[in-house]
Amino acid sequence: MRQQGTLHRILTTDLPVLAIVFFAMAPFAWMILTSLTPTAALSATGVSLSPRGWSLDNYVRLVEQTSFLKNMLDSLIIAGGTVVVGLIVSVTAAYAFSRFRFAGRKLLMLQFLLINMFPIVLLILPLFVLMRRFNILDTHLGLILANATVAIPFAVWMLTSYIGAIPKSLDEAAMTDGCSRLTALRKIVLPLTMPGIISTGIYIFITAWNEYLYALTLGGRNVRPVTVAIQTLIGEYQIEWGLLAAGAVVGAMPATILFLLVQRRLIGGLTQGAVKG
Amino acid sequence: MSLSISSPVQRRATSIWRSERLLPYLLLTPAVVVTVVIVFMPMLQAVYTSFYDLILFRPSASRFVGFGNYVKLFNDPVFWTALWNTIIWIGLTVPLQMGLGLVAALFLNREFPWRGLARALIIIPWALPSVVIALMWRWIYDPNTGVLNDILIYLSIVQSAVPWLADPNVAIYAIIATLTWQGFPFFAVMILAGLQGIPRSQYEAASIDGASTWRQFVHITLPGIAPVLATAGLLRVIWVANSMDVIFVMTGGGPGYATHTLPLYAFVKARQNLDFGYGTSIAVTFTIFLGAFVALYIARTMREVER
């Protein structure tokens, strides 16, 4: 009886889930297999499915013959900078939204929600013109600011809901004990919100790391993040799929690993709003 | 509490209350200033530019043309092609993502030992950079060496290799398939959270009453996740409409104009022809079209904030 139940579960649950997981994973797994197959073998016999045909040849070439490591550094600086800028200006804003009821609160919150909906194409062209005027095209600063257009409104909304979840009575108690508002924010609210701040920061990092259109348009020569660099791995005469795949795997790794590490908490935060509605 | 004499405590409370009236605005200043400078100023600049005939690197030839760019737009056949493609693009991608996401969520909501692992693995497409996704699928779709044609020919589903991204009738659907793959985990995760919010007792009561699985799904599950579907669906319409990076890397809008969507057309115009005036007017028009969905979404979300 019990065995039958297990069999039934395997047929109706485990196998379908396995199929969905396979569907979700297969393309990237194929990319990894491609990156492990040396280029010569790739054009002769195709992607090698068995470990005997694998080598790190493409990865070695990626590190030795291209500027990929420097591109990784560019991406790191930009994504890290976006996290810092995004979090610093958003924490106080989120605190104001969650702790005060003031004239214009709704309008200002609406403003941050609205920004998130703007088509990137509408911003990218004027940002190009503006940044050219201020001479920050193709710099880290320029790309950090461009990514902040996405990061700030997102962070404000996420942090507002995280801080809102911390009981007001805690900072009120601290203020009765003689703390000022800002001390209460620093000593009570910030430490309690830290998990939320960290997962928001990680999400900003992932988004900024993965960003492509700003990087292509507003950077690309001196400052070339991995997303742009991967595309330049396409060879001059024919597409070098092996090298390209190696670049794609390495370029996607940091964001993917971070995502897997924090997915539980992240998804909690992201879905809260939608579920409540 | 005595109202006649103001005790020191009360006076202190009043002064805190006074400074508290300004404090929220002070706290908001950095975020507002930064967003005004990097979002709202460029926005206004965009609207302003769309009234000019501006070819970048020939700024001296720039001149005011009023609604000239917009008139040109409505007489531009490529604009109408791109608009139609945008409608197909959103109209197919979002329901497909939602449908697949719903199926995935229903399975993930069941009890099985490796549920946590499965949930983590399924969201991998969501975490990948879109440029990697685009290149990956170009490799899968490749007419000569792509694995998709290999599989389909092996299974005798097609007789000869299909040029997925080079055939103007097929290309947009190939990209829609890619985007469905990229976006379904988002729905799966959102819907799963919604499913877990439905009380188990409702199902128990229904099965005691003898309701079939299908009736339970229609009368308990669907109403339970309807709010999530609406919010996530609206959000996704906006994101899918805006996302042009995958198309840009996969086909660049080609072959011909077969995979041009409105944002992509604006981007290509500005990037390749450096025609910023016209490009921006396309972007502004697109934003206005999208405005209806944005308004709906914002109305839903702001209802939450009114507490």
Side-chain angles (χ1 to χ4, degrees), chain A residues 62 67-76 78 208-212 215 223-233 247-248 250-254, chain B residues 129 131-132 135:
Chain A
L62 185 71
S67 58
F68 207 73
L69 289 181
K70 197 223 157 231
N71 304 134
M72 296 277 280
L73 185 66
D74 281 338
S75 280
L76 186 69
I78 292 164
W209 181 279
N210 288 351
E211 204 287 325
Y212 173 65
V223 176
R224 182 181 285 172
V226 277
T227 45
V228 179
I230 290 170
Q231 243 215 319
T232 59
L233 293 177
V250 175
M253 252 343 144
Chain B
V131 66
V132 167
L135 290 168

Side-chain angles (χ1 to χ4, degrees), chain B residues 39-274:
Chain B
V39 180
F40 285 97
M41 265 172 46
M43 276 271 307
L44 289 178
Q45 166 99 27
V47 176
Y48 172 85
T49 309
S50 73
F51 293 118
Y52 279 78
D53 188 3
L54 171 67
I55 313 282
L56 207 71
F57 303 118
R58 259 200 292 146
S60 49
S62 160
R63 64 196 172 84
F64 182 74
V65 291
F67 284 95
N69 281 325
Y70 292 93
V71 174
K72 191 168 136 195
L73 190 69
F74 282 90
N75 294 316
D76 179 356
V78 181
F79 169 77
W80 295 105
T81 310
L83 178 61
W84 178 238
N85 285 341
T86 313
I87 294 169
I88 297 180
W89 170 248
I90 300 171
L92 283 179
T93 310
V94 177
L96 283 173
Q97 287 182 348
M98 193 186 279
L100 201 57
L102 178 62
V103 171
L106 287 173
F107 280 118
L108 284 178
N109 197 33
R110 297 183 178 188
E111 295 287 336
F112 58 99
W114 51 294
R115 196 165 135 186
L117 180 69
R119 193 163 41 189
L121 292 179
I122 270 181
I123 49 182
I124 280 187
W126 191 12
L128 294 177
S130 47
V131 66
V132 167
I133 288 172
L135 290 168
M136 202 161 80
W137 281 85
R138 250 174 83 176
W139 169 227
I140 291 170
Y141 282 141
D142 193 281
N144 303 315
T145 45
V147 66
L148 183 63
N149 276 325
D150 286 353
I151 293 173
L152 291 180
I153 291 174
Y154 179 76
L155 295 175
S156 320
I157 293 173
V158 296
Q159 303 309 316
S160 58
V162 180
W164 297 103
L165 296 174
D167 183 335
N169 296 317
V170 181
I172 193 165
Y173 301 105
I175 302 180
I176 286 173
T178 300
L179 220 76
T180 303
W181 175 82
Q182 180 194 20
F184 90 90
F186 168 82
F187 274 108
V189 162
M190 287 286 198
I191 295 171
L192 189 60
L195 287 174
Q196 285 166 350
I198 302 174
R200 201 158 281 270
S201 57
Q202 292 193 7
Y203 291 103
E204 280 156 11
S207 60
I208 290 169
D209 290 346
S212 67
T213 316
W214 172 248
R215 284 184 65 84
Q216 288 184 23
F217 175 74
V218 172
H219 293 285
I220 301 174
T221 311
L222 274 187
I225 57 172
V228 182
L229 288 181
T231 309
L234 277 174
L235 201 58
R236 214 55 194 174
V237 165
I238 297 164
W239 284 355
V240 167
N242 286 335
S243 70
M244 52 168 176
D245 38 12
V246 173
I247 314 179
F248 182 73
V249 177
M250 281 181 84
T251 63
Y257 296 106
T259 53
H260 266 60
T261 58
L262 282 181
L264 186 77
Y265 186 36
F267 186 68
V268 168
K269 264 284 173 209
R271 193 179 155 75
Q272 281 162 11
N273 310 4
L274 297 176

